Amino acid sequence: MQTRRGFLQSTMAAAIASSASGCGWTLGEIKTTPSTRFSSDTLYIYTWAGYTDRDLLERFTQETGLRVVADVFDSNEAMLARIQAGGAGAYSIIYPSEYMVQKMVALGLLAELDHTLIVGLEDLFPKFQNPDYDPNSTYSVPLSWGTTGLIYNSRLLSSSPEDWEDLWTYQDQLSRRLTLLNDVREVMGASLRRLGYSYNSTNPREINQAYQELVKLRGAIASFTTDAWRPQMIVGDLLLAMCYSSDAAEVMPENEDLEYITPVSGSSLWIDTLVIPKSAPNPEGAYQWINFMLRPDIATQIVERLSFATPSLVAYRQLPQELREDPALFPPESVIANSETVSPLPPEITALFDRYWTRLTSG
């Protein structure tokens, strides 16, 4: 998703350094190690790093009296592994992406939402009120959305990238100054899309071909990371990073040479959501959190401070024009039309992806 998402601009570099080192930070609290103790006056959430900040948590606590403890993950697969390993009863709110919602529903991990306890669903863009991955928002509420693309240093790169293909074309120049996401579906999906296939291909031949192409690129890749590229990109140690659009929108103001593109051959359109696990220790607090995050005034602040694209139409209309017209936050319809949402795969295909991913990232 973090990160798929950031902290206050004035403290961003320090927060990134903390996240990259695995130290975490507290308010209410945000941590990189799982919580194990629970309290009725505490709300435990499992989220992408950077999806909350100090102001947000303090305001929620002031309004509800609930302290928030947030554990963070850097991929949907890592989150699911933690939940399946016994963490399902540890959290009242989890932040899966759209395809993981489908998978968690199939595994029987999520509670059906009581819409009579939720305020604000009617404020969403129509396309988010009845999404294909969760008809009628039965199990999830959309929180943010965006694209996956490339952030690059326009001063240091000899040529501006336009497509996934450029990673291979300029791999000598990019050598060890390129990072890809720590996300099997995104990385394999990008390679598949470069070859003209779907992000969600179930064809073993196509999947093998995508893997073999990534092997050719492996020597140029410094690391697979969802988070740690940000400080390196800001200071110019990296030339290019695969990232989420919300992260790019947050980082670009820190260095005027940074630009973001969505590859012309197509990419993924991701949606991150809020869900309540069946074994949530504080479901009442979970609904309070959902309603808080759906409020247009809160959603507007999140866009302005944390650089998330909001699914709230009411909040979107309240944003300054420069944010509404920022293509890294709110891409044009032509980009959206050329993007795919990531979908769940059959178990045998998921296992195939995982085998290739293990080889690629351990090589």
Side-chain angles (χ1 to χ4, degrees):
M1 135 300 307
Q2 97 89 29
T3 64
R4 224 191 233 192
R5 339 324 194 193
F7 304 98
L8 291 169
Q9 295 291 351
S10 62
T11 60
M12 188 181 77
I16 294 169
S18 172
S19 174
S21 67
C23 295
W25 57 281
T26 62
L27 146 64
E29 308 151 352
I30 297 180
K31 306 188 299 178
T32 56
T33 54
S35 302
T36 56
R37 301 178 67 181
F38 311 104
S39 172
S40 60
D41 64 355
T42 302
L43 182 68
Y44 295 87
I45 69 176
Y46 202 17
T47 177
W48 298 94
Y51 255 38
T52 57
D53 68 5
R54 201 169 293 268
D55 287 354
L56 186 72
L57 298 185
E58 285 181 344
R59 183 165 178 179
F60 180 77
T61 298
Q62 289 170 358
E63 293 188 13
T64 66
L66 290 173
R67 172 174 166 266
V68 181
V69 175
D71 294 340
V72 300
F73 58 84
D74 70 352
S75 74
N76 283 284
E77 287 68 31
M79 176 274 291
L80 181 62
R82 161 68 180 156
I83 297 302
Q84 292 184 305
Y91 305 103
S92 294
I93 286 285
I94 305 175
Y95 283 60
S97 299
E98 72 295 318
Y99 77 94
M100 189 55 68
V101 171
Q102 294 175 285
K103 190 165 186 176
M104 295 177 81
V105 169
L107 291 170
L109 296 173
L110 303 184
E112 286 195 33
L113 298 178
D114 184 346
H115 285 197
T116 66
L117 300 179
I118 299 176
V119 179
L121 289 174
E122 66 280 359
D123 293 335
L124 301 178
F125 283 93
K127 63 183 176 183
F128 291 113
Q129 293 187 27
N130 184 31
D132 292 340
Y133 62 86
D134 183 21
N136 300 313
S137 297
T138 303
Y139 296 93
S140 66
V141 171
L143 173 70
S144 65
W145 65 281
T147 60
T148 300
L150 301 170
I151 188 170
Y152 65 98
N153 190 307
S154 60
R155 180 177 61 85
L156 297 178
L157 269 182
S158 60
S159 180
S160 298
E162 296 182 354
D163 204 358
W164 300 119
E165 179 65 36
D166 293 320
L167 302 183
W168 282 262
T169 300
Y170 301 109
Q171 63 179 294
D172 289 343
Q173 182 184 358
L174 294 171
S175 181
R176 298 300 175 182
R177 301 182 74 181
L178 159 70
T179 62
L180 300 183
L181 288 170
N182 182 27
D183 190 308
V184 57
R185 295 298 307 278
E186 290 286 5
V187 173
M188 288 289 289
S191 186
L192 284 162
R193 194 63 188 241
R194 173 204 173 217
L195 295 168
Y197 306 137
S198 169
Y199 244 71
N200 303 301
S201 174
T202 58
N203 184 318
R205 181 187 60 81
E206 294 176 355
I207 296 167
N208 176 264
Q209 189 178 350
Y211 164 71
Q212 296 297 340
E213 291 300 302
L214 287 167
V215 170
K216 296 176 184 177
L217 188 64
R218 186 65 182 88
I221 302 169
S223 65
F224 295 88
T225 176
T226 307
D227 311 331
W229 61 267
R230 301 193 301 168
Q232 296 173 284
M233 183 63 68
I234 290 170
V235 300
D237 289 343
L238 290 176
L239 298 179
L240 186 149
M242 181 184 185
C243 70
Y244 301 113
S245 55
S246 54
D247 286 345
E250 178 193 32
V251 168
M252 286 191 291
E254 300 298 311
N255 183 331
E256 63 182 7
D257 296 323
L258 299 182
E259 298 185 24
Y260 173 83
I261 61 104
T262 304
V264 295
S265 63
S267 187
S268 74
L269 179 69
W270 52 262
I271 303 166
D272 287 338
T273 74
L274 301 172
V275 301
I276 302 176
K278 282 185 176 179
S279 50
N282 189 349
E284 180 180 348
Y287 280 104
Q288 288 179 282
W289 183 261
I290 289 173
N291 289 334
F292 180 73
M293 298 298 281
L294 281 175
R295 276 169 38 188
D297 63 316
I298 299 298
T300 300
Q301 290 178 26
I302 287 174
V303 176
E304 294 175 335
R305 288 208 313 272
L306 303 181
S307 300
F308 304 157
T310 177
S312 170
L313 177 58
V314 175
Y316 172 80
R317 288 172 173 168
Q318 294 176 4
L319 290 170
Q321 182 177 357
E322 63 184 87
L323 289 179
R324 295 197 309 270
E325 296 179 354
D326 184 344
L329 276 175
F330 299 100
E333 286 299 322
S334 59
V335 170
I336 295 175
N338 198 33
S339 300
E340 295 179 83
T341 56
V342 177
S343 300
L345 300 173
E348 66 277 11
I349 299 300
T350 297
L352 182 62
F353 268 74
D354 290 343
R355 286 197 298 274
Y356 285 141
W357 183 247
T358 299
R359 295 178 195 171
L360 182 67
T361 56
S362 61

